[in-house]
């Protein structure tokens, strides 16, 4: 089992989607895993299936691609950190690998032209800004977003993998 694979529990996923504030045009999930963050999107409840924007995803584990496609998502890449085309996305939502959370969030910021990012990171990434990446991310959140800290989000019964790590979902708005 991949030690970095922690599928997003449904409640945390819905909470992350609610952080977006603007109209959706096209969505990217850069580290989709099995799609647990994506299947909890609000579109069926709010706009109906026909009103859902296209949802694209990257996933480095090719064995998960058929599951993602089966759930109706477009797999557009493998390694998000090498992904180069993102100006057409209005929203990026991610629960990246814990060890590279800052790197993935900054890549999403740099890739996005005009839109919003919601990321679920290990809280330690923001509470301990020892690296230039973490410092840059903290400044971006301070200037362009907001963060909350959530304990026990991955200890709930619905969590496929449990961990007692505190999480820090945040949103950023880039214009």
């Amino acid at each position: 089992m991949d030690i970095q694979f922690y599928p997003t529990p449904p409640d945390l996923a819905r909470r992350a989607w609610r952080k977006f504030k603007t109209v959706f045009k096209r969505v990217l999930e850069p580290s989709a895993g099995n799609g647990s963050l994506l299947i909890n999107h609000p579109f069926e409840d709010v706009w109906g299936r026909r009103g859902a924007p296209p949802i694209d995803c990257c996933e480095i584990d090719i064995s998960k691609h058929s599951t993602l496609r089966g759930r109706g998502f477009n797999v557009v890449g493998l390694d998000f950190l090498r992904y180069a085309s993102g100006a057409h996305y209005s929203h990026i939502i991610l629960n990246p690998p814990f060890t590279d959370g800052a790197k993935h969030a900054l890549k999403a910021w740099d890739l996005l032209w005009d839109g919003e990012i919601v990321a679920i990171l290990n809280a330690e990434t923001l509470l301990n800004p020892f690296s230039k990446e973490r410092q840059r991310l903290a400044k971006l959140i301070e200037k362009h977003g907001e963060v909350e800290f959530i304990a026990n989000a991955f200890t709930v019964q619905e969590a496929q993998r449990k961990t007692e790590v505190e999480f820090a979902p945040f949103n950023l708005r880039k214009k």
Side-chain angles (χ1 to χ4, degrees):
M1 179 181 283
D2 181 357
I3 60 169
Q4 292 295 298
F5 179 59
Y6 282 85
T8 311
D11 186 56
L12 181 58
R14 288 187 290 273
R15 197 171 182 169
W17 281 100
R18 286 192 299 264
K19 289 187 169 299
F20 287 121
K21 298 176 174 101
T22 59
V23 175
F24 292 89
K25 294 180 183 152
R26 188 170 200 101
V27 178
L28 175 66
E29 211 286 43
S31 44
N34 64 6
S36 61
L37 181 56
L38 296 175
I39 60 174
N40 288 287
H41 66 70
F43 306 115
E44 291 178 9
D45 297 332
V46 178
W47 294 286
R49 194 101 171 109
R50 293 184 188 158
I55 299 177
D56 298 338
C57 57
C58 295
E59 174 49 48
I60 202 158
D61 182 351
I62 199 165
S63 72
K64 293 180 173 61
H65 288 197
S66 62
T67 299
L68 292 165
R69 287 187 184 102
R71 290 180 164 172
F73 307 117
N74 307 312
V75 179
V76 297
L78 291 167
D79 184 351
F80 175 63
L81 295 177
R82 295 176 182 255
Y83 194 67
S85 173
H88 58 288
Y89 292 109
S90 62
H91 296 78
I92 300 176
I93 187 165
L94 63 153
N95 173 10
F98 295 172
T99 57
D100 292 327
K103 212 179 268 187
H104 281 250
L106 292 171
K107 171 71 175 189
W109 177 261
D110 293 339
L111 194 70
L112 193 66
W113 175 253
D114 181 5
E116 287 183 88
I117 297 167
V118 168
I120 301 168
L121 297 189
N122 178 332
E124 186 68 18
T125 302
L126 301 178
L127 295 172
N128 185 9
F130 66 83
S131 68
K132 288 185 180 192
E133 287 172 337
R134 288 181 177 197
Q135 290 165 14
R136 179 177 175 224
L137 182 57
K139 287 177 185 174
L140 285 171
I141 293 169
E142 184 179 315
K143 187 173 181 180
H144 301 283
E146 57 191 26
V147 64
E148 74 174 301
F149 294 92
I150 302 172
N152 303 318
F154 279 76
T155 60
V156 298
Q157 183 177 353
E158 299 83 21
Q160 291 178 34
R161 288 194 66 202
K162 306 218 187 294
T163 181
E164 294 184 9
V165 173
E166 182 178 19
F167 285 85
F170 66 85
N171 70 312
L172 294 171
R173 174 75 174 104
K174 186 175 186 180
K175 296 180 184 181

